[in-house]
Amino acid sequence: MIPTRIEQAFNQQLNAETYSAYLYWSMSAALEAMNLPGFANWMRIQAQEEMTHADKFFRYLIERGGHVKLTAIDGPPAE
Ligand SMILES: [Fe+2]
């Protein structure tokens, strides 16, 4: 079993990684709007990488018998 404070910290980090993906995704959309598809694609790749990080925390919690507690993700800036 995983200590409660570690479980909470991992859940917080899972949320932070997911927020980072949102942020990159938002930047990708802004770059698409600026007709910069190459930069936009690079931002989408970064978003995928952040979700890979989030999944590592998700899987660690599951493998250690912890509980995954998904919480609301803040909306990133649109511009
Ligand atoms: Fe990350």
Side-chain angles (χ1 to χ4, degrees), residues 19 23 52 60:
Y19 175 76
L23 194 54
T52 300
Y60 184 92

Side-chain angles (χ1 to χ4, degrees), residues 1-76:
M1 198 62 175
I2 188 167
T4 302
R5 68 183 178 86
I6 300 298
E7 181 181 282
Q8 288 172 343
F10 271 59
N11 274 299
Q12 274 185 329
Q13 189 60 33
L14 201 169
N15 184 287
E17 299 290 351
T18 307
Y19 175 76
S20 292
Y22 258 37
L23 194 54
Y24 279 120
W25 233 356
S26 180
M27 287 189 276
S28 178
L31 289 162
E32 289 284 2
M34 296 165 67
N35 197 28
L36 295 168
F39 287 117
N41 183 58
W42 189 86
M43 292 296 179
R44 279 194 301 282
I45 292 168
Q46 303 314 304
Q48 290 169 355
E49 183 180 334
E50 296 304 335
M51 289 309 295
T52 300
H53 300 163
D55 190 55
K56 287 182 180 179
F57 287 98
F58 180 98
R59 288 175 20 210
Y60 184 92
L61 282 165
I62 298 292
E63 288 168 7
R64 298 298 189 283
H67 295 94
V68 172
K69 293 178 184 160
L70 299 179
T71 56
I73 298 162
D74 291 337

